[in-house]
Amino acid sequence: GESVGLHLPTLSVQEGDNSIINCAYSNSASDYFIWYKQESGKGPQFIIDIRSNMDKRQGQRVTVLLNKTVKHLSLQIAATQPGDSAVYFCAETQLSGNTGKLIFGQGTTLQVKP
Amino acid sequence: DSGVTQTPKHLITATGQRVTLRCSPRSGDLSVYWYQQSLDQGLQFLIQYYNGEERAKGNILERFSAQQFPDLHSELNLSSLELGDSALYFCASSVGLVRSEAFFGQGTRLTVV
C-alpha cells in the first residue's frame, strides 16, 4: 500500500547546529505534504506544509524542501534548541482526493544534546 | 493547547469489553479525524467525518465505529477489545473537508488487559 517513510529513526544533534530530517514518499499522486512534531505525551503539532507546486517553503527556523523527481521531502531546523527534541513525522495527502486523509511516516526522533 | 478536547485521557479495560472515546473539535471546525498510534504501526488514519457525514475510511476494523453528532463532537466506539487494540487514539479537526491544517488533541491512551 501507500506509505511515507523516514530514512532515519533517530537523529542526534548538538544544540545550535542545524538539523535535517528526511522523508521519502511513494505516492506520486500526493500533492500536499505536512511536517508534524510530537512531544512526549502530546498530540502531533503542525509545523509547516508545502504543496506540490512548490519546492521550498520557509517558516520560523524551519524550511521544508520538496523534490518531486525523487519523491523526497526534508525538514531543516536552524539553530536547533533543546525544545526541538521530539518525534517528527512527515505526512502526505491528495488535495484532489476530496478527503483530509493523511498518510504518516514512521517518525524520526530528534535528540538535541546540550 | 490545540483546542481539540479528547476524553478520557487514559482508559484501562479488559479484553472483550467495549469503550467509547469522545472528541470535541475546535470551534468552527467541521471535519473530525480519528487516528490510531501504536509503537509498531505509527499513526494510522481510521476515519473522517465532515459536518456529520462519513467522508473517508482508512484501516478501521469492523469492531470499531464512529459518528459525528449535530453539535460536531465525535465518538469512536471500540468493541470486542483485544490486547492488540492497546494504543493511543487521536482525534484531529480542521475547518474544511480537505484539510489545510489539522489540529490534534492530546489523545486517549487505551490499555487492554
Side-chain angles (χ1 to χ4, degrees):
Chain A
E2 300 167 349
S3 66
V4 178
L6 291 162
H7 292 314
L8 294 174
T10 303
L11 176 65
S12 186
V13 300
Q14 204 69 39
E15 180 179 356
D17 287 352
N18 296 333
S19 302
I20 299 176
I21 301 171
N22 294 306
C23 175
Y25 65 94
S26 59
N27 186 0
S28 56
S30 292
D31 53 11
Y32 182 56
F33 305 88
I34 312 98
W35 280 100
Y36 279 92
K37 171 186 181 184
Q38 187 176 21
E39 296 174 283
S40 181
K42 297 185 178 181
Q45 177 186 1
F46 177 96
I47 302 174
I48 191 167
D49 59 358
I50 188 167
R51 301 198 176 203
S52 59
N53 60 353
M54 305 171 69
D55 53 19
K56 180 179 179 179
R57 190 158 189 231
Q58 287 184 294
Q60 189 175 16
R61 279 200 311 118
V62 294
T63 300
V64 55
L65 299 178
L66 175 63
N67 185 330
K68 294 181 289 293
T69 303
V70 295
K71 291 188 236 167
H72 183 268
L73 196 67
S74 70
L75 176 70
Q76 301 177 2
I77 304 174
T80 313
Q81 301 169 359
D84 295 326
S85 294
V87 179
Y88 289 81
F89 294 93
C90 63
E92 63 176 307
T93 191
Q94 290 178 247
L95 295 177
S96 58
N98 212 29
T99 87
K101 170 184 176 180
L102 286 172
I103 300 171
F104 281 85
Q106 289 297 309
T108 292
T109 299
L110 177 64
Q111 297 174 340
V112 182
K113 297 177 288 186
Chain B
D1 183 6
S2 67
V4 178
T5 304
Q6 288 187 249
T7 57
K9 286 188 170 51
H10 302 276
L11 198 50
I12 301 175
T13 190
T15 53
Q17 294 299 304
R18 171 190 167 95
V19 297
T20 298
L21 312 184
R22 182 188 168 99
C23 170
S24 294
R26 290 188 323 149
S27 177
D29 285 0
L30 298 178
S31 271
V32 169
Y33 313 80
W34 287 97
Y35 288 85
Q36 180 192 57
Q37 186 175 37
S38 56
L39 282 175
D40 58 345
Q41 291 291 321
L43 274 157
Q44 298 286 318
F45 170 76
L46 296 178
I47 198 163
Q48 176 194 5
Y49 279 85
Y50 176 78
N51 204 21
E53 292 187 6
E54 182 185 304
R55 294 301 303 212
K57 245 181 178 178
N59 299 323
I60 187 167
L61 300 171
E62 285 190 11
R63 300 183 285 109
F64 295 0
S65 65
Q67 55 183 335
Q68 186 179 29
F69 295 87
D71 67 353
L72 301 178
H73 90 272
S74 178
E75 292 180 355
L76 178 67
N77 301 296
L78 315 176
S79 61
S80 303
L81 285 167
E82 303 174 359
L83 295 178
D85 297 327
S86 296
L88 269 167
Y89 291 86
F90 286 104
C91 170
S93 73
S94 65
V95 172
L97 174 61
V98 182
R99 61 164 304 289
S100 59
E101 181 173 346
F103 293 84
F104 280 77
Q106 299 276 42
T108 293
R109 181 173 292 282
L110 174 66
T111 303
V112 183
V113 298

